[in-house]
């Protein structure tokens, strides 16, 4: 009933629906008129992120000169697929060809935490993976990482991804929607060919060992996002 009412309002009562990416806009066209949909990408506070320092506590114990730090950020729920992240970590830790010292960080909390901690223990990752729980100043943790992994089943245009791009932390992702084209050009991050642990492991290893660096990518600012929404409100109120 809720979905039906929501779709009715979107079709007949709402003047506009905001999609945060072109990919999401195409999906919304299945249920809503094309002329109702406007794309306004998410934005982040670039000025605030410019002053963020890479000072997560784990760097005090294991500086980047000795260890490569790889993390995943998000609520610990099924769609985020932290299980894939752990399987990827297990493959890399147990690989004879990997000469890197790797530490993995799960940043966030949620209903699957105990289950995921048990899975990490079963995979023999107790010394390699740290569950940090909810972190208030998550930007400092993102900047302290060498690579951020995003292996969700689906995303729109996640703020964590945009923050990582603004902070200069490379990303490994799969089908990242609005930023896929940038990733294919080597800007902001790289794409895993398949949505499975071995493919993420391969993409991550290449990123960590390659001489070529990921080019910086600048996401939209929160100010641009706000101005676009204000302009849309003015347009539909005329």
């Amino acid at each position: 009933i809720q979905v039906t009412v929501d779709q009715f309002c979107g079709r007949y009562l709402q003047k506009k629906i905001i999609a945060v990416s072109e990919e999401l806009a195409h999906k919304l066209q299945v249920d809503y008129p094309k002329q109702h949909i406007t794309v306004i990408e998410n934005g982040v506070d670039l000025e605030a992120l410019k002053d963020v320092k890479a000072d997560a506590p784990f760097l005090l114990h294991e500086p980047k000169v000795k260890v490569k730090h790889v993390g995943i950020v998000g609520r610990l729920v099924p769609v985020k697929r932290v299980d894939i992240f752990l399987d990827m970590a297990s493959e890399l830790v147990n690989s004879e060809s990997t000469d890197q010292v790797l530490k993995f960080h799960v940043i966030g909390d949620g209903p699957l935490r105990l289950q995921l901690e048990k899975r990490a223990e079963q995979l023999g990752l107790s010394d390699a993976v740290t569950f940090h729980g909810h972190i208030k100043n998550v930007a400092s943790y993102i900047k302290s990482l060498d690579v951020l992994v995003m292996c969700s089943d689906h995303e729109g245009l996640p703020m964590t991804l945009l923050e990582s791009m603004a902070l200069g932390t490379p990303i490994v992702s799969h089908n990242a929607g609005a930023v896929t084209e940038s990733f294919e050009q080597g800007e902001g991050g790289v794409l895993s060919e398949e949505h499975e642990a071995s493919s993420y492991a391969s993409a991550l290893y290449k990123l960590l060992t390659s001489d070529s660096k990921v080019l910086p990518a600048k996401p939209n600012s929160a100010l641009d996002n706000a101005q676009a929404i204000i302009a849309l409100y003015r347009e539909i109120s005329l």
Side-chain angles (χ1 to χ4, degrees):
I1 293 174
Q2 183 178 353
V3 171
T4 301
V5 172
D6 185 52
Q7 291 178 344
F8 177 85
C9 292
R11 290 191 188 114
Y12 305 111
L13 302 181
Q14 295 172 339
K15 292 183 178 180
K16 289 291 183 180
I17 298 171
I18 295 175
V20 299
S21 70
E22 291 289 350
E23 182 189 42
L24 184 56
H26 288 304
K27 291 180 179 179
L28 287 171
Q29 288 174 23
V30 174
D31 296 312
Y32 304 105
K34 183 177 180 179
Q35 64 271 21
H36 281 198
I37 302 168
T38 297
V39 176
I40 300 178
E41 293 188 355
N42 287 333
V44 291
D45 190 338
L46 298 177
E47 286 300 312
L49 292 172
K50 183 175 64 176
D51 298 325
V52 170
K53 293 181 173 57
D55 57 1
F58 59 77
L59 288 184
L60 298 176
H61 305 290
E62 294 168 310
K64 285 187 176 182
V65 293
K66 297 180 179 179
V67 175
K68 296 295 184 182
H69 295 279
V70 181
I72 185 170
V73 176
R75 185 160 164 74
L76 305 187
V77 291
V79 70
K80 295 299 184 180
R81 297 307 305 269
V82 181
D83 58 312
I84 292 180
F85 179 80
L86 294 177
D87 289 345
M88 175 202 73
S90 176
E91 183 164 331
L92 288 167
V93 168
N94 295 310
S95 173
E96 295 181 358
S97 61
T98 304
D99 54 1
Q100 302 268 359
V101 178
L102 302 174
K103 293 292 182 181
F104 299 88
H105 304 271
V106 179
I107 302 163
D109 211 337
L112 294 183
R113 178 166 178 172
L114 290 178
Q115 178 181 327
L116 291 167
E117 287 179 333
K118 185 176 181 180
R119 183 182 182 95
E121 184 178 354
Q122 292 171 340
L123 291 170
L125 296 173
S126 298
D127 294 332
V129 176
T130 301
F131 286 81
H132 295 275
H134 175 72
I135 298 296
K136 191 171 183 179
N137 185 19
V138 70
S140 69
Y141 276 67
I142 294 174
K143 190 163 186 178
S144 298
L145 297 171
D146 291 283
V147 181
L148 175 77
V149 176
M150 299 196 72
C151 46
S152 304
D153 283 333
H154 60 82
E155 293 277 4
L157 185 56
M159 301 300 287
T160 296
L161 184 145
L162 298 178
E163 289 172 346
S164 186
M165 291 170 68
L167 292 165
T169 300
I171 304 150
V172 171
S173 182
H174 168 71
N175 189 20
V179 295
T180 297
E181 184 176 345
S182 294
F183 282 13
E184 288 174 343
Q185 296 172 357
E187 298 176 354
V190 298
L191 291 175
S192 168
E193 293 183 3
E194 303 292 338
H195 188 41
E196 57 185 34
S198 59
S199 183
Y200 283 102
S202 177
L204 176 61
Y205 183 73
K206 289 178 182 177
L207 180 58
L208 290 173
T209 57
S210 175
D211 291 332
S212 59
K213 300 295 183 181
V214 171
L215 299 173
K218 186 178 180 181
N220 287 344
S221 72
L223 180 60
D224 290 338
N225 173 270
Q227 289 176 338
I229 293 175
I230 290 170
L232 179 62
Y233 270 106
R234 287 173 175 165
E235 175 190 328
I236 63 179
S237 64
L238 295 177

